[in-house]
Each structure stands twice: as C-alpha cells, then as structure tokens.
Amino acid sequence: MRLSRVGSRLLGVVVLLATAFTVRVLTAGTPVDGAADATMVLGFVLVISYLAGRVAIRVNLPSITGYLAVGVLFGPWVLAPVFSGITILSHEAAVSLQLLDGAALGLIALTAGGELKLSMVRERRRSIAWVVGGHVLVVAPGVAGVMMGLFYLMGGLPDVPTASMVAAAGMLGVTAVAKSPATTIAVIQEYKAKGPMTDLVLAVTVAKDVVVVTLFTVALAFALMAVEAGGGGAGVPALALRTAWEVLGSLALGLALGWILAQYARWVRAEMPLLVLALAFVSGGLNEAYHLSGLLVCMVAGFYVENFSEHGHTLIQAVEKHAQPLYIIFFTIAGAALDFGALAVAWPVAVGLALSRMAFTFLGTWFGARATGEPQAVRGLAWTGFIGQAGVTLGFAAVLADRLPAVGPTLRTVIVAAVALNQIAGPILFRWGLTRAGEAQTTA
Amino acid sequence: MLEGSTHQLVMIILHDPAYLNDLLAALLEAGITNATVVESQGMGRLLSRDMPIFASFRHMFAGSKSYAYTVFAPVEDPSVTEHVVALATDVLREAPPSDRGLVLALPVARFVDLSEVPGGR
Amino acid sequence: MSLQLLILFLVIVLVALLGSRARRGRVRMWPLQRLLQTGTPFVFVGFLMGPQGFGLVPGGLLDQLRPIVILGFGWIGFLYGSHFEWRRIRRFGARMYGGGITESVVTMGVVGLAVYWVLPLLYPGMQEALREHVAVGLAACAGGTAPAGVFALTRQRGVSARDSELLRFFSAVDDLPPVLLLGVFFALWDVDGGGVASAPERLAMSVVLGTLLGLGSHLLLPSGRDSASHAFLLILGMGSLCAGAAEMLLLSPLFVAVLGGMVFANLSPRKEDIYGLMERREHTLYAVFLIVAGALFRWEAVRVVLLLAPGYVILRGAAKVAGAWLGTRGVLREGSVHGMLGTGLVFQGGMGLAIAVHLELNAGAAAGLFMTTVVLAVVLNDLIGLPIAVQALGRRRR
C-alpha cells in the first residue's frame, strides 16, 4: 500500500487529532496538570499550524493566516461548541503557554530591530517621521470622529454622559494607531521582502512602538480627566513619569541587553540556542515587572546588535533560523484569543472602527509619504503594512477596561472585536501590498 | 588522456549530509559527472560531537555517524571550478555557517582517465 | 521577577563562556577542566539559581518551565527509542543484549533493595507506599550508564578493544530496563490517586500512545523533500503532544516516547535525518535539564546528602561491577573480559538524569529525595568515575 504525500499527511493529522481529542475526553472532569496540558497543546499547535501554514501558502495566503485560522478553529468559538465544550486550545492551556508566547514575541521583536539598518534609517528619517506623524495626526482624530458620529447615530451610549463618550471615542482613535509589529515582521520574512516600501514599513513599525505607548498613556490621562470631571487629573504627573520611565527605561535596558548580546556574539558564541531561549524568557518577564515594554527592549537590542557590533549579525541569524516555531506559537495563540463572542455583540461598531481605521491609515500613510516625495507605489501601498493588530492592542483594551469605569468594558469589547477583523485582514492585505509593489522575493 | 594538464581537483567538504543531494545536482549542472563521494568526519566534530548524551546505540556501528562528506571532482577547465564554487555557495547558503564546509581546488600534476586507455577487451 | 531573570541570563552566559573555553582546551585536561566539560557546572548554576541558592528561580518560574521539561522527556525518549532499528538490533547476538540487560537489572535490583532496606533507618515511620516509590525510583535512576562518560573512557589509551566495545554496548542498552520499569511502575502506581483508568488499562494506554506517536510521526513525514528543519518541527510537535498526553494521563512520557521512537525508526525512511537533527540539539536540551535538576536540589535533606547519596554512589558502583561481571562471565561466557569492567559503567547522567527529573516532578511526598540523591551521584560519578575506571581498566596486560 502506498500513500500519496498528501494522503499520508492527512492520515497523520487524523492520528494526531484523534489522540488529542481522546485525551481531552478521557481527562474531562478530572483535575489536570496544567503544564502537561500546555505541552500537549504546544505539540498540537506546532504540527497542525505548520501544516495549515503550508496549505495557506498553496492558496496564496501568508502562512500566518493559516496559523491564525488554526487558533480560531480550535479555540473556544468554532469547534468547541460542536464538540460539547471540548476545547483543544483552552484558555488554561493558553495561559500556561504564556511564557513561551511572551518569549516568541520578544524574539520576533529582536529580529524586527535587527532588520533595521542604520544607514537606511538615516537616509529615510524624514519619510519615517512624516508617516508616523501622518498616522498620529490623521488616524487618531479621524477614527475618533467617525466613532463619535457612530455613537451619535446610535443615539448615544446608555447612561454615559457626553464627556465620557468623547473620551471613549478618543481612546478608540488612539488605539487605532497601534499595530502588531509581529505580523509585519512575519510577513516580511516569509516573502523575503526587500525594497523601499519594506524598509519604510519596518522603520515606521519600530518607531510607532515608542510613539504609541506614549500617546496611549497621555490620552488615557486626558480621558480620565474627562470621565472623572476633575478628580482624575491628580494622577497625570505620575502617569507622565511612568510613561517616561517605560519609554526611556526600555530604551536604556534595550541598549544594555544589546551590548551584552554583542559581547556574547563576539567572545563566547557557544550555546547560542540556550542563550536565545534565556533571552526570550528575560524579555517575556520584563513586561510585568518594572512596567517596561519587553517589545521595545528587544527591538532596541536587536537594532544595536545588528548595527553596532561586528559579530551581532550571526546572533540575529540564529534567532531568525529558529523563528518559524515562534511564529507558529505566537500567531496560533493570537488566533485563539480573537474574541468572536465580542464580535457577535459589537459587530456594527467594530466593522465601523476597522473600516475607518483602514481608510485613515491609508490617508495618513499617503499624506506622509507624499510630503517626502516617496514613489507612487510606496504612497499607495505602504498602508497595508499597518493593518494587523494583536497583542499590544489587546493589552491596551485590557487597560481601558480596568481604568475607565462605565465605558471601559464596552470599549474593550469593541476593540477586541475590531482586532479580530484587523488581524485576519492585516497579513492578507500586506502580502497583496508587497506583491503589488514588487518587493516580495518569493511567492512561497 | 592528458598529462601535465590544466586539470584541477575540486574538493568540497560538506558538514551537513542533508545538502549532499542538492550539491551533487549542482555539480551535474556544472557538467561534472565523475565526482567521487567519501564519507568523512571533521576533527573538531570527532572530538566534540561524538559524545552521545542520551542515546548511543547507533554509535556502535561504523558508518552510522557520517557527519560529513568529502566530494572529489576532477575538473578540466578552470572556469568550471569557478562555476562549481558559485553553485556550491548557492546551495549551502541556507545552511548554518558552521555546517557549510569548504571548497578547495588543487592543481593536478598528472591526470589519467584509465577508461580511455586503449587495449584490453 | 524580571531582575532575577536578567541575572539568570547573565549566569547562563558565564557558564557558556566557561564551557566554550574548556572545550577549546587540550584533549587531555586536568580535573577542573574536565569537570567543566561534564554537566556539573550546569547543575551548579541551577542550584545557585534555585530556591535553595539565591532564589533567582522562584517556584513559579519552574512551573512555567515545566512544559519545556515535559517536551524534553518526549524528545529524549524519542531520540533514545529511534536508535533501535531492527536491522541494527539483529547485528548483535541475543547474548550481548542478555549481558547488557543483566548488568542493568542487577544494578537496579541491588540498589532498589538496599534503598528499600535503608529508608526506614533514615526516615523512621515512612509509609510503605512511599518507601516502595522511592526505592523503585532510585533503582530506575541507577540502572543506566551515561554514554558520554563511557565514550570519554574508551578513548583513553590502554582499554582493550573488546572491553571498549562491551562498555559502549552496555551503556547503549542498559537504559532500556529502567525505562520499562518506569513505564510499568507509572501505570501501576497511581501518583495522585486521580488516575483515569485501572492499571492494565493504563499500561495498554501507554503502549497505544507510544505506537500512535511513532505511527503519526511516520505519516506526517512522507518521503520527499521537506527541509530538515521542517521535518524536525513536525517531530518535535508530535513528541510534545504525546509527552503532554502521557503526563496528563499520569503515564510515563519517557516510556511512551521511547516506544514511539522505536516504532518510528522501524517504519520511516526519514529516520536518518531525524536522528541527526535531534542529536545536534541534544546538548542544549541536556543543559536545560541539568539546570532544572540543580534548581530542584534540596540541602535540607541532610540525611540524603550525608548518608543516602554517598551510599548510593558506592553501592551503585559495586552493583555495576557485579552486574557487568555476571553479564560478561555468566551470560556472555567471555573469560577474557576485564573482571572490573563495571567500573567503566558508573557514569550517571543522560537518561538517568531525565528519569530523576521526571520522578522529582511527580514526587509528591518524596519531594527532594530523588533529585538530591541523583544530583549528588551525578556530580560524584563525574568527578571520580573516570580516574577510577582508567586506573582499573587501563593497566591491563595485553
């Protein structure tokens, strides 16, 4: 009996699915070792998402769309209700994998920084600044305006005073500026994209990470003032201090980490995989303690290592070589975290938010690129790199739900629902943009 | 049959067996059909890698631990050597740097292809 | 927590630095350098970072690392099992296997019985079930031999060719009985009383799960061109799934994975690629295991540190000598083999350490006993094993 390649793979998948489901059924109702559960889910994700990524490539989609699809499919929303609540990618398992998830994000950020070349940044600094400026000045007010209009059309939010509604619309505008650096990097690396648009998108992505953190914190301070009518203003100086600490502290720590990595790459060079693993845990742990942005730290470290050390390149290469499992873990979990429950509830507002965000991102990018005389392709297509939204934005949504009474939970639902739309559309759009601009080197 | 010729001997030392097929295909592309492949082991690897940690049953067998291959290819035209170098570089670009191995070419003092010697059956 | 992580990171850098220096050194090294080449520094680092050292790795972090450790069990087991391919297995006569297995079983028997006997003296009032658990567990840790030590020994001048071959062969197969013991033991012995099936069912589940692992891996890797790293990713995923599943069902992930590796090696045309890939990364994995082992070490088990562990090392060494003597003289009927062959089999680590980590993570009331004993034994055997073996086996007249 000889099986075709596809047939053999399919049978393998059947074996794997049957194993996972059987174990879930057998252990249903008994207390389960969370770490063991997470290990099983990790294995499941690695295999199924990898194969889904291959299928995605076959149908001309980015492989991360395949990873996201697996997350959605085996998450709590699609198959789980069919199989009477047996969820493979359960919330508990996702929480147990947080360490790996954080590690994946840290390493992805490291490669993002490592992709940036100093000479390019110098040469294009005006374009970078203008596009970032365009996003801040066009996307945030534009989206906020549209949201305000939408709220007005719906006859206002129940039991929410106008000032709070303005604040809510404003916060939606500000979070619309945020984007997922991981999505952008993953698509760029998959298609080995090179060219003026890729460079610009990358640089803007990294720069925006600094800007967005600051912008969000400042906007939140104003929103608190508006909502609490004077009472919330007291926290502003403390908030400003915290923002400064988060941004500057992250930059400084990133430089320090970059220096250590550079020395390591120069003098030691042994145990590279172990180092990468340790590094990933460090960046994963940074987020919670000290309120530093692990993302920013890793981006800066990657940038330093790539540009200011002779041997750092080998290190970035080592990370990139092991990148695929990281993307698989990160995006599958991101897919499982997409909240279709929220989307079902808030879809009219969420669709409005997502569409207006796209429109204003296009406008902001076009405006910034035109002002600095970027070529036509960059003006018209670079916006596609800024659509995907994931972890950072979800983090903002959680902060809003926590800090803004009355409107916070509603905002979170809307944002989380819009993220689901953006994260599905983002990679597909960006692939299209890169291909149209002629910067995608491989189609597979 | 040529003597004291422009022949070169191209040696490719490959540290990752996974690339052997690609490499041989590349040689074929360069017009080389008479290469010889020898299983070999690098000195550093002999010292460091042949230290199984968890499992060693396979290490009981000679030839089961071929971490490297050495390819010998006689080349008549030096420009072919350049071509081979370019192709090998291309094939092994994706391999991790420590596994890429090396290519070297030596001048050949004397080259006799015995199959072209007249006589016999 | 993050500051601790940062220090952890720096310490790993330091160890790697020391390790890389040692490796660049000459082949014949003085003891401290040889120490660096073994796993001991990683254990030490783990200990320093653990709750008993500077507390850099809080319990919570160890918990978060557990998925990686369980995945490691799957990997180690799969790698070990995938060595046993029928066309290779049959190249050796049944007596060779008999010899190796005798050596391992005798060692386990002697160590297990001795531990069982001595435990009430050290811990009066220890419950019977716990006593059995500890005795079986420590026996399973003792049965195997770390191949790395044997390979270092057989590379020395003076060890006869036949002795070298036997040492290498014994160290290659003597992990099988402990893994089997563990598989059966875990099926019979319900760790938390929360098992999902009866003992025979659980044994059957282990076998089924292992077979599925091998079969699934084979099916997922049809012959043809996948890049090696992709093939590796699929195997890693499959191994992780089954190790996690085994652990969830309270079975032994090592046993399941060894079985899976065996099934895979005898089915798949892709096995050669997979060995190579797994073996190339085993060093990193082992380092992680050693660090975790060090972090799990407990000083407070003073009785273990002062009495049990040294006794364990001496007894295990003696049992290895006796077992190897029985295996070679009794089973293999080879009179020319060195009578002290077993001194070359005292090295501990590799699979034995993986077993110990696994037992410790599921130790329940016996927490600290396994890891403390085995870590000390690994370090002691690393330190004194090679000189003693060279002394015993190297001076032999030709």
Side-chain angles (χ1 to χ4, degrees):
Chain A
M1 182 186 72
R2 284 199 46 85
L3 283 165
S4 71
R5 280 175 60 77
V6 175
S8 173
R9 284 251 155 103
L10 275 178
L11 260 180
V13 169
V14 169
V15 167
L16 184 128
L17 286 175
T19 311
F21 270 104
T22 311
V23 171
R24 266 288 140 80
V25 172
L26 280 175
T27 54
T30 52
V32 162
D33 176 357
D37 191 355
T39 315
M40 187 180 86
V41 168
L42 176 68
F44 182 87
V45 164
L46 283 177
V47 174
I48 300 284
S49 290
Y50 166 75
L51 295 176
R54 295 288 293 260
V55 172
I57 291 169
R58 277 281 168 82
V59 296
N60 285 329
L61 288 173
S63 48
I64 65 169
T65 300
Y67 309 156
L68 285 165
V70 170
V72 171
L73 199 62
F74 293 97
W77 301 106
V78 181
L79 286 182
V82 181
F83 291 93
S84 57
I86 303 264
T87 321
I88 296 215
L89 283 169
S90 64
H91 181 66
E92 293 75 28
V95 170
S96 303
L97 286 176
Q98 238 168 20
L99 188 72
L100 276 180
D101 191 42
L105 186 61
L107 291 180
I108 293 168
L110 191 80
T111 56
E115 295 268 348
L116 277 187
K117 304 284 179 288
L118 187 63
S119 55
M120 186 276 291
V121 176
R122 273 213 195 106
E123 203 178 294
R124 317 259 318 258
R125 60 182 184 276
R126 282 191 62 235
S127 301
I128 298 165
W130 272 91
V131 172
V132 172
H135 284 184
V136 173
L137 297 175
V138 176
V139 178
V143 171
V146 170
M147 285 295 110
M148 201 56 220
L150 212 58
F151 289 156
Y152 182 75
L153 278 179
M154 288 163 38
L157 298 171
D159 304 324
V160 175
T162 314
S164 292
M165 229 154 72
V166 174
M171 287 320 293
L172 286 177
V174 169
T175 41
V177 181
K179 59 169 300 252
S180 156
T183 307
T184 306
I185 300 302
V187 175
I188 287 177
Q189 283 188 358
E190 174 165 356
Y191 295 105
K192 300 193 168 72
K194 279 187 188 66
M197 176 176 136
T198 307
D199 286 345
L200 185 69
V201 169
L202 255 171
V204 170
T205 296
V206 174
K208 257 174 83 169
D209 196 57
V210 181
V211 173
V212 161
V213 168
T214 317
L215 190 67
F216 179 80
T217 322
V218 172
L220 183 63
F222 279 106
L224 279 172
M225 276 196 286
V227 171
E228 291 168 28
V236 171
L239 211 57
L241 209 62
R242 229 194 74 187
T243 312
W245 161 244
E246 180 166 352
V247 171
L248 298 178
S250 300
L251 289 176
L253 190 62
L255 286 177
L257 200 60
W259 185 83
I260 294 172
L261 285 177
Q263 298 312 306
Y264 188 90
R266 177 164 181 202
W267 297 109
V268 187
R269 261 181 277 180
E271 307 292 352
M272 214 66 121
L274 194 62
L275 175 88
V276 167
L277 199 70
L279 171 72
F281 289 141
V282 171
S283 65
L286 281 175
N287 257 329
E288 33 190 312
Y290 301 106
H291 298 288
L292 289 175
S293 161
L295 204 62
L296 199 53
V297 171
C298 286
M299 281 184 181
V300 173
F303 183 68
Y304 179 90
V305 163
E306 176 67 36
N307 288 290
F308 299 97
S309 86
E310 243 177 277
H311 307 272
H313 188 65
T314 51
L315 202 125
I316 300 286
Q317 265 188 337
V319 178
E320 277 179 10
K321 216 185 87 194
H322 299 108
Q324 199 184 14
L326 299 173
Y327 288 140
I328 288 178
I329 294 165
F330 180 78
F331 286 106
T332 309
I333 292 179
L338 295 185
D339 193 338
F340 289 89
L343 190 59
V345 176
W347 68 268
V349 187
V351 169
L353 175 59
L355 287 180
S356 60
R357 177 171 175 268
M358 267 181 221
F360 286 110
T361 304
F362 169 76
L363 272 180
T365 311
W366 185 84
F367 168 76
R370 202 198 131 89
T372 48
E374 289 288 336
Q376 192 62 41
V378 176
R379 276 187 230 170
L381 295 168
W383 66 279
T384 54
F386 306 117
I387 300 305
Q389 269 187 321
V392 177
T393 319
L394 292 177
F396 286 164
V399 172
L400 287 180
D402 188 40
R403 299 294 298 271
L404 285 178
V407 288
T410 317
L411 284 186
R412 178 170 64 183
T413 311
V414 172
I415 292 173
V416 162
V419 165
L421 297 172
N422 288 325
Q423 189 54 17
I424 291 170
I428 300 174
L429 272 173
F430 191 31
R431 176 194 181 271
W432 173 80
L434 283 175
T435 316
R436 275 300 293 271
E439 299 194 0
Q441 308 285 320
T442 50
T443 42
Chain B
M1 181 166 65
L2 276 164
E3 289 178 28
S5 60
T6 57
H7 273 75
Q8 292 191 333
L9 177 67
V10 177
M11 274 172 72
I12 304 172
I13 296 166
L14 178 70
H15 284 153
D16 188 340
Y19 290 88
L20 182 66
N21 277 335
D22 290 355
L23 187 69
L24 294 182
L27 289 184
L28 212 57
E29 194 184 314
I32 295 173
T33 53
N34 54 349
T36 303
V37 183
V38 177
E39 289 189 357
S40 57
Q41 279 191 66
M43 158 184 168
R45 276 158 221 253
L46 245 180
L47 287 176
S48 70
R49 283 220 179 144
D50 193 18
M51 272 282 193
I53 293 173
F54 294 112
S56 60
F57 187 68
R58 273 168 51 82
H59 295 257
M60 295 297 300
F61 303 93
S64 66
K65 46 189 174 183
S66 53
Y67 290 119
Y69 287 99
T70 305
V71 180
F72 296 96
V75 167
E76 198 174 338
D77 180 353
S79 73
V80 174
T81 306
E82 292 315 308
H83 194 185
V84 168
V85 170
L87 286 170
T89 313
D90 208 41
V91 167
L92 291 163
R93 181 166 291 139
E94 282 180 21
S98 63
D99 283 348
R100 282 181 199 150
L102 53 95
V103 183
L104 46 95
L106 311 169
V108 172
R110 192 171 152 84
F111 179 89
V112 182
D113 183 346
L114 293 175
S115 69
E116 290 176 12
V117 177
R121 273 177 290 179
Chain C
M1 180 166 137
S2 73
L3 189 66
Q4 294 162 341
L5 279 167
L6 204 63
I7 297 176
L8 185 149
F9 167 75
L10 290 175
V11 172
I12 289 177
V13 171
L14 194 71
V15 173
L17 180 71
L18 290 172
S20 70
R21 281 291 130 88
R23 215 162 303 143
R24 270 177 225 152
R26 285 160 300 150
V27 181
R28 190 180 284 274
M29 282 179 293
W30 52 292
L32 191 68
Q33 269 181 319
R34 220 198 76 73
L35 184 68
L36 284 174
Q37 222 190 12
T38 66
T40 306
F42 289 103
V43 174
F44 190 60
V45 166
F47 169 68
L48 284 184
M49 293 186 307
Q52 297 268 300
F54 297 119
L56 298 178
V57 184
L61 184 69
L62 267 182
D63 273 350
Q64 286 195 299
L65 279 173
R66 278 194 61 197
I68 293 178
V69 174
I70 298 173
L71 187 154
F73 294 142
W75 178 339
I76 294 166
F78 197 89
L79 174 64
Y80 185 75
S82 66
H83 276 230
F84 295 97
E85 193 190 335
W86 178 242
R87 73 184 168 92
R88 290 186 194 280
I89 291 175
R90 64 174 185 197
R91 298 251 286 267
F92 292 99
R95 287 191 174 205
M96 281 288 269
Y97 293 98
I101 288 173
T102 304
E103 174 258 309
S104 175
V105 170
V106 167
T107 308
M108 286 198 296
V110 171
V111 171
L113 285 175
V115 170
Y116 183 77
W117 175 73
V118 85
L119 273 176
L121 304 179
L122 291 175
Y123 297 89
M126 187 182 241
Q127 281 180 348
E128 178 61 23
L130 192 62
R131 193 175 159 198
E132 282 169 18
H133 179 193
V134 174
V136 171
L138 284 178
C141 298
T145 305
V150 171
F151 274 63
L153 169 66
T154 54
R155 229 176 259 158
Q156 307 275 334
R157 255 169 289 173
V159 183
S160 83
R162 181 61 181 162
D163 286 356
S164 287
E165 194 191 3
L166 285 173
L167 286 173
R168 286 180 178 224
F169 183 84
F170 282 12
S171 75
V173 300
D174 66 6
D175 280 317
L176 274 177
V179 169
L180 191 67
L181 176 70
L182 212 64
V184 175
F185 178 69
F186 258 77
L188 299 178
W189 195 77
D190 203 336
V191 185
D192 298 317
V196 290
S198 68
E201 280 170 1
R202 287 147 62 83
L203 199 57
M205 279 194 313
S206 299
V207 174
V208 169
L209 199 56
T211 312
L212 284 178
L213 167 59
L215 188 68
S217 305
H218 164 56
L219 288 172
L220 285 174
L221 287 172
S223 52
R225 283 198 48 88
D226 278 296
S227 82
S229 61
H230 292 180
F232 178 67
L233 201 136
L234 288 171
I235 288 287
L236 194 67
M238 202 67 208
S240 171
L241 179 107
C242 288
E247 191 83 28
M248 275 176 87
L249 298 168
L250 306 178
L251 309 170
S252 160
L254 281 168
F255 175 75
V256 165
V258 168
L259 203 61
M262 286 181 180
V263 172
F264 176 77
N266 288 290
L267 282 178
S268 177
R270 301 291 306 273
K271 56 199 173 245
E272 299 289 336
D273 307 354
I274 301 301
Y275 303 130
L277 280 165
M278 294 187 100
E279 223 157 49
R280 206 171 298 171
R281 289 168 169 88
E282 74 176 348
H283 195 262
T284 305
L285 180 70
Y286 193 47
V288 171
F289 261 77
L290 290 165
I291 290 173
V292 170
L296 290 169
F297 183 88
R298 300 265 180 282
W299 273 125
E300 68 236 20
V302 176
R303 281 169 282 200
V304 175
V305 175
L306 292 182
L307 299 168
L308 188 57
Y312 182 75
V313 171
I314 293 167
L315 193 74
R316 180 173 172 274
K320 282 265 172 191
V321 171
W325 191 88
L326 261 178
T328 49
R329 300 283 157 99
V331 181
L332 271 167
R333 310 271 167 80
E334 285 193 34
S336 63
V337 173
H338 200 294
M340 296 295 280
L341 189 74
T343 53
L345 296 168
V346 296
F347 310 102
Q348 216 173 347
M351 180 66 88
L353 192 91
I355 291 176
V357 171
H358 183 235
L359 287 166
E360 183 67 40
L361 289 177
N362 296 286
L369 263 176
F370 295 113
M371 218 59 251
T372 309
T373 312
V374 174
V375 160
L376 283 176
V378 167
V379 172
L380 278 174
N381 282 323
D382 257 358
L383 285 177
I384 58 173
L386 193 65
I388 289 179
V390 169
Q391 199 79 1
L393 301 175
R395 291 247 180 103
R396 197 163 174 251
R397 71 261 165 315
R398 297 238 59 180

